Amino acid sequence: MSAALSRIFYTKPSIGEAEVAAVSAAARDGWGERCYESIQQFEALFRDFAGTKHAIATSSCTGALHMGLAALGIGPGDEVILADINWIASAAPIAYLGATPVFVDVLADSWCLDPAKVEAAITPRTKAIIAVHIYGNLCDMDALLRLGDDYNIPVIEDAAEAVGSRWLAPAGAARKGQHAGSRGLFGTFSFHGTKTLTTGEGGMLVTSDSDFYQKVLALSNHGRIAGESKQFWPGLIGFKYKMSNIQAALGCAQMARIDELIARKRQIFAYYHAALAGLPGVSMNPQPAGTENGYWMPTIVFAPELGVSREALLAACQAANIDGRVFFWPLSSLPMFTAEAANQTAYGLPARAFNLPSYHDLTEAEQDRVIAVVKAVMAAARP
Ligand SMILES: *Cc1c(COP(=O)(O)O)cnc(C)c1O
């Protein structure tokens, strides 16, 4: 392998001249009476996109989750259920509130919450279930929402990785499809630079529950309750997780390209899928009938009998100047939690799973380089 091969990043945003112009305009003119203009525009664009009544822009998805859980009154002694395969950002806000994350096992095909395991983990202390649509893969929301109804527990969607993932409307149906994040009590999104749509750092909380929206809105305004006539008069301790108007201007310009950004993710996935998914023992992100996957992160899982290891693939990628990215570790295996070894699927997956590069401007020649490395590692591992 030649050292002259260009570096293939695993992710990188697509920022065009329109985005640069929008940010410049907001930096120049977005002050005084226009200081919230782009924020309000971005919120309106995003709630239309997600199909919810309300949206609140935030400085991060982590902040959006923190506020949403706080609005539910979650605190010490409470438990919140989420999948063991996750990024820490979905669990940290539970810990901020002094509550306990309960990590349950995932399904082998979607790598998302196993509803049967969720039901088994429910206790009188369970105050919420967080469904994270990992790598763009949709959780089984029908089953999770049914559990939420049966046990009277709010179901929340962390859709940070699921821009473009949705349930399609049946042919001829009157209602439109439903976007990830729009079905739970509230949904959260991330616009970190690695995500499908970016504002550099940023997030969004969406909900169609107007009472809940008012609660989060007050929290997001440092506890100032809507309708309060006294200036600088917070009625409770809130948060400061706001998005700046300049970031929101970037978000608006990205929203103008949202269909293109999602279509490109899907095209990149399709190219990998055509080359790799047919190989025996290889599986990739699923897309069940009646759904569309936004494919934020194309991911490959090798059956145990193939003998392919994460370490071998990581080393081969490094040698080929490809930014390799390992699958998430089980959160319960981290030092600050207690290992849940019974979560066999979550503990068995990461050693033989891998994320493939998928940024907007990735070329087919670069994808071919990635595919060649995967095939070479598979050939070398052949038992
Ligand atoms: C990226 C991500 C987050 C965190 O988003 P930030 O905007 O960085 O706070 C939360 N949950 C999931 C599933 C993510 O992928």
Side-chain angles (χ1 to χ4, degrees):
M1 280 291 149
S2 156
L5 280 175
S6 63
R7 179 133 192 99
I8 300 179
F9 294 91
Y10 79 91
T11 166
K12 190 166 67 172
S14 168
I15 303 297
E17 286 309 314
E19 280 92 333
V20 173
V23 170
S24 300
R28 199 184 300 112
D29 305 320
W31 309 102
E33 63 194 7
R34 298 181 64 184
C35 69
Y36 300 122
E37 189 178 273
S38 295
I39 297 172
Q40 286 162 358
Q41 259 172 23
F42 187 37
E43 288 174 343
L45 287 168
F46 203 82
R47 92 187 155 228
D48 284 354
F49 168 76
T52 55
K53 276 198 203 140
H54 309 286
I56 299 175
T58 58
S59 53
S60 69
C61 178
T62 308
L65 271 171
H66 191 184
M67 286 197 294
L69 294 173
L72 284 172
I74 288 171
D78 293 338
E79 295 174 351
V80 177
I81 292 174
L82 74 167
D84 209 346
I85 291 292
N86 259 318
W87 176 229
I88 187 70
S90 305
I94 303 168
Y96 299 163
L97 292 165
T100 305
V102 174
F103 300 112
V104 313
D105 208 359
V106 298
L107 295 166
D109 54 352
S110 69
W111 324 318
C112 290
L113 272 180
D114 180 336
K117 301 280 169 60
V118 171
E119 183 160 23
I122 290 173
T123 75
R125 295 165 187 258
T126 308
K127 291 291 150 54
I129 298 165
I130 303 181
V132 185
H133 304 297
I134 207 82
Y135 300 135
N137 303 349
L138 288 169
C139 295
D140 183 350
M141 284 304 290
D142 290 338
L144 293 174
L145 289 169
R146 214 177 301 124
L147 284 177
D149 273 352
D150 290 350
Y151 291 88
N152 201 19
I153 298 168
V155 181
I156 295 158
E157 293 177 82
D158 181 351
E161 305 180 358
V163 161
S165 297
R166 55 203 186 102
W167 293 268
L168 303 171
R175 68 172 175 85
K176 290 197 289 186
Q178 292 175 295
H179 196 277
S182 70
R183 297 182 64 186
L185 172 63
F186 69 92
T188 59
F189 290 86
S190 171
F191 311 125
H192 180 255
T194 54
K195 300 286 160 61
T196 299
L197 181 152
T198 192
T199 58
E201 295 278 1
M204 193 73 80
L205 183 146
V206 298
T207 183
S208 291
D209 183 315
S210 297
D211 292 337
F212 185 77
Y213 167 70
Q214 290 298 338
K215 275 190 199 160
V216 180
L217 196 62
L219 286 176
S220 82
N221 276 325
H222 256 322
R224 286 173 289 186
I225 293 157
E228 172 58 59
S229 55
K230 266 186 287 185
Q231 240 185 337
F232 298 128
W233 188 263
L236 49 112
I237 293 289
F239 295 91
K240 188 62 198 295
Y241 286 140
K242 284 179 181 286
M243 175 179 281
S244 77
N245 198 57
I246 298 173
Q247 289 171 299
L250 180 53
C252 290
Q254 289 261 284
M255 281 306 289
R257 297 177 54 212
I258 188 71
D259 291 341
E260 175 207 344
L261 296 175
I262 295 165
R264 183 68 189 122
K265 278 286 185 188
R266 289 177 53 78
Q267 191 179 32
I268 289 167
F269 180 87
Y271 194 83
Y272 282 133
H273 192 267
L276 298 170
L279 304 175
V282 167
S283 51
M284 297 183 71
N285 314 53
Q287 180 176 258
T291 70
E292 220 162 71
N293 193 322
Y295 294 129
W296 170 61
M297 192 63 69
T299 299
I300 184 166
V301 177
F302 304 95
E305 61 271 20
L306 296 182
V308 174
S309 76
R310 157 185 66 202
E311 281 71 23
L313 197 48
L314 202 54
C317 281
Q318 268 158 8
N321 210 14
I322 295 167
D323 222 359
R325 184 174 149 132
V326 302
F327 199 82
F328 291 130
W329 307 91
L331 288 180
S332 73
S333 70
L334 299 176
M336 53 287 196
F337 300 120
T338 306
E340 298 287 349
N343 294 340
Q344 286 183 8
T345 309
Y347 274 73
L349 270 169
R352 49 189 180 81
F354 210 73
N355 301 142
L356 305 177
S358 65
Y359 63 92
H360 190 82
D361 296 325
L362 190 67
T363 64
E364 279 189 4
E366 287 170 328
Q367 283 198 269
D368 287 338
R369 272 172 59 196
V370 175
I371 291 161
V373 167
V374 171
K375 286 184 170 169
V377 169
M378 287 179 71
R382 193 155 291 144

